Amino acid sequence: MTQIIIDRRYCGPPNSGNGGYVCGRLARHIPGGAEVTLRAPPPLDKPLDAIATGDGTWELRDGTTLLATGRPANVELARLETASFEAACAAESLTPVKPHDHPLPTCFVCGPARAKGDGLRIFAGPLERRSQGPVLAASWTPDPNLAAEDGLVAPEFLWSALDCPTGYACNYDPQNGSSDWAPILLGRMSARIEARPRPGERCVITTWPIGRDGRKRTAEAALHDEAGKLLAVARTTWIVVAPDVLLGQA
């Protein structure tokens, strides 16, 4: 058993951890691709227990409360979408979630209220129309404070960077070019990291919706460096929730 503390800096909703960051922290214990399912909102600034439960699986617990489960997974996407860094920057200007309407302005990954170097400030927007459906993109240049001891960006920040853009994709309405505003929270995330960039290296995130089933919405995403080298892929499941649940008030 080891302990994990989710620093307040890494919030998603105001009083709980960003889903992708939390998944990435637990996935550090799982070699190769991993799937993490979030079971309850992870509290901030509190020691949490990461426990190996056999067969390569892990649990994240707050006392007796199960917060997340993780297991090894083969993460392969049916397709990969790419974009140039310039196209990703242009897409950001078309992001459907405008700063004054953002439901979680302090989110570590996509919150517009976070200062550069504090939050990741990743704002996905639509690329030109593609034959297989809508694709969103965002640029990302990791800050030096995201480096691990080996000098490369820590794995949990790659998970983070691939998290919120898939939420944008799940809620994107290609008919009118805007979000449908459904309050959603990350329920499950699978990711595979091929390579980790260095801080300051320009990266491109692409993401696209793949389905809806009742309250569940699914999307995939890819992270490439500026030269087009694949760094990581992810698949996510988001759950439509009541607005007060999104804000951590229920």
Side-chain angles (χ1 to χ4, degrees):
M1 183 178 71
T2 61
Q3 285 196 324
I4 292 175
I5 297 177
I6 309 300
D7 188 89
R8 186 161 295 276
R9 177 189 176 192
Y10 306 122
C11 71
N15 297 311
S16 60
N18 170 267
Y21 176 82
V22 174
C23 289
R25 285 293 301 270
L26 188 59
R28 271 195 171 220
H29 299 284
I30 302 170
E35 176 188 275
V36 180
T37 301
L38 297 169
R39 307 288 185 179
L44 304 171
D45 295 336
K46 182 178 183 180
L48 308 173
D49 296 324
I51 304 167
T53 55
D55 299 324
T57 62
W58 284 76
E59 293 181 349
L60 183 65
R61 289 185 170 273
D62 177 16
T64 60
T65 302
L66 179 62
L67 302 174
T69 57
R71 66 178 185 86
N74 181 27
V75 187
E76 298 290 341
L77 307 189
R79 75 185 207 259
L80 282 176
E81 296 285 351
T82 61
S84 68
F85 189 83
E86 291 72 22
C89 291
E92 291 171 348
S93 67
L94 303 174
T95 180
V97 187
K98 304 305 181 185
H100 61 279
D101 290 326
H102 199 291
L104 298 174
T106 61
C107 173
F108 171 63
V109 176
C110 68
R114 300 297 289 265
K116 185 178 180 180
D118 177 32
L120 301 189
R121 295 182 58 82
I122 296 173
F123 312 119
L127 293 167
E128 73 281 358
R129 187 177 298 276
R130 301 199 175 188
S131 60
Q132 292 183 285
V135 178
L136 284 70
S139 67
W140 180 43
T141 304
D143 191 86
N145 65 32
L146 304 180
E149 292 182 359
D150 61 3
L152 303 177
V153 176
E156 56 266 32
F157 298 123
L158 274 64
W159 282 71
S160 303
L162 290 169
D163 166 22
C164 293
T166 64
Y168 280 48
C170 284
N171 269 356
Y172 184 68
D173 182 351
Q175 299 303 315
N176 60 22
S178 66
S179 171
D180 69 7
W181 299 112
I184 55 176
L185 286 175
L186 184 67
R188 176 175 293 157
M189 184 171 186
S190 305
R192 185 186 82 247
I193 295 175
E194 295 285 324
R196 290 154 50 214
R198 292 188 177 278
E201 293 183 357
R202 303 204 301 184
C203 301
V204 173
I205 298 160
T206 50
T207 179
W208 51 98
I210 58 173
R212 294 189 178 189
D213 181 12
R215 294 172 54 226
K216 294 182 179 180
R217 302 184 177 190
T218 52
E220 294 178 339
L223 176 68
H224 292 82
D225 69 12
E226 189 175 14
K229 176 184 176 182
L230 180 64
L231 301 176
V233 296
R235 181 181 299 110
T236 60
T237 299
W238 292 74
I239 310 298
V240 179
V241 298
D244 56 350
V245 173
L246 178 68
L247 297 172
Q249 298 172 345

